[in-house]
Amino acid sequence: MKFQLKNTIVVLALTALFVSCSNDDDSSSVVEGTTGDVELYFDNGVAGDALILGNTYTNSNNESLTINRLNYIVSNFVLIKEDGTEFTYPKEESYFVISEEGDLLTVHLEGVPAGDYTKVKFGIGVDQQRYLQGESEQQSFWDLAVQHNLTWTWSTGYRFINFEGTYTSSAVEGEKTFQVHQGSNSATDNYREVTLILPTTARVREDEMPNIHLKTDANVILDGTNKIKLADNINEAQTGSAIMGGENLISIAENTLQMFTVDHVHNGSHTGHRE
C-alpha cells in the first residue's frame, strides 16, 4: 500500500512538472500579429575597464587619456531572425543619442513583431539619406543632438562621435587637450553599420521584452585596427590635438566597426534590465 502511494505521488509530481514545462513553452510561443518591445543597453568601457569620466586610461600608443566626454549617435536598427527575416525599425524613429555624461544609455524600440531574433544591425552616425531629407524632417532629433554636442552647423551636419578630454604622451611636453569629432563631410561619408550576433536568442513577445546588453569600447576609436596618435595631430600652438577631418576620420570610422560587442541578452518582463 505504501509502495503504491509513493508511486502515485511520484507520477503526480512528474505530471505537474510536465504540465508546468508545457505551460512555459506555450507562454513563450509566437502569437502571429502581436508585437513587443526591445531594449538595448550601451555599457561604455575602455579596453575592458568601465568608463568613468575623469579617469585616465593608457592605450597601446603609449598615450594616457583622461576622458571627459563620450557621446555618439546610433541609428537604423534592424532585428534579424535565424532564417534571415529582417524587421527594420521605422526610419523616422530610428535615431538615438548615447551619452555617458547625460546618462542616456538605453535605446527602446516599440512595436517590434513578436519573434525570435538572433542578430541586431545598426548604424554609427546619421546616414546621408536621412541628412539630405532636410532640417525640418529631423528637427526634434537635431535639437537633441545639439544638446549633447553632437552637431556642427546644419551645413556641416552631425558629429557621429564626440570624444574629448586631456592626454599626456612622451612625444609632447605636459598635458594637452584632445577632441575627436567623427562625422561625414563633403569629401567622405563616414557613416558605418555593424551587425552583431546575439549569444542568446532575443524573444520578443507581448509580455516579454528582451534587453540586449552591449559593450562599447571607446579605446578602439584611436587604438583599434588603425593606430592614431594624438601627439601626431597636435596644433601649432602645442596646446592640444583636434581630429575633425581628413584621412584620420576615415581610419576612425573603420575602427568603430570593432567598437561594439554583445555581452548578453536577458529575456524578461517589461521592467527593463541593466547588469
Side-chain angles (χ1 to χ4, degrees), residues 9-21:
I9 292 171
V10 169
V11 169
L12 288 173
L14 289 173
T15 301
L17 179 61
F18 175 78
V19 170
S20 175
C21 290

Side-chain angles (χ1 to χ4, degrees), residues 11 50 65 112 126 143 145 190 193 200 205 213 228 230 244 250:
V11 169
L65 281 62
V112 177
V126 177
D143 292 342
N190 291 316
E193 287 187 337
T200 305
R205 307 289 189 270
H213 186 126
I228 302 163
L230 291 168
M244 301 182 186
I250 299 173

Side-chain angles (χ1 to χ4, degrees), residues 113-222:
D116 297 330
Y117 296 91
T118 59
K119 295 179 184 178
V120 61
K121 178 168 67 174
F122 59 89
I124 307 165
V126 177
D127 56 290
Q128 285 293 301
Q129 181 187 17
R130 181 61 171 167
Y131 175 64
L132 293 174
Q133 287 178 338
E135 188 172 0
S136 61
E137 292 294 319
Q138 50 198 293
Q139 188 65 59
S140 60
F141 182 72
W142 176 264
D143 292 342
L144 177 66
V146 168
Q147 292 174 31
H148 294 281
N149 299 285
L150 286 166
T151 62
W152 284 297
T153 63
W154 175 251
S155 61
T156 48
Y158 294 93
R159 297 169 180 165
F160 301 167
I161 298 173
N162 188 334
F163 184 47
E164 297 182 347
T166 59
Y167 77 98
T168 58
S169 168
S170 59
V172 297
E173 185 177 344
E175 186 178 67
K176 310 297 181 185
T177 61
F178 77 86
Q179 295 177 306
V180 177
H181 295 169
Q182 163 73 335
S184 292
N185 51 49
S186 58
T188 59
D189 180 2
N190 291 316
Y191 170 81
R192 296 290 185 271
E193 287 187 337
V194 294
T195 300
L196 303 175
I197 297 173
L198 305 181
T200 305
T201 298
R203 299 195 307 267
V204 179
R205 307 289 189 270
E206 283 187 296
D207 59 351
E208 190 172 0
M209 179 182 71
N211 183 287
I212 301 171
H213 186 126
L214 298 107
K215 295 279 192 179
T216 304
D217 185 3
N219 186 65
V220 305
I221 295 172
L222 298 172

Side-chain angles (χ1 to χ4, degrees), residues 39 41 209 211-213 264-266 269 271-275:
E39 198 164 81
Y41 175 60
M209 179 182 71
N211 183 287
I212 301 171
H213 186 126
H264 67 272
V265 177
H266 174 77
S269 65
T271 56
H273 180 73
R274 291 188 184 185
E275 67 174 40

Side-chain angles (χ1 to χ4, degrees), residues 217-238:
D217 185 3
N219 186 65
V220 305
I221 295 172
L222 298 172
D223 188 19
T225 301
N226 301 306
K227 307 295 182 182
I228 302 163
K229 292 185 177 181
L230 291 168
D232 291 343
N233 293 273
I234 197 161
N235 58 27
E236 291 185 6
Q238 298 287 302

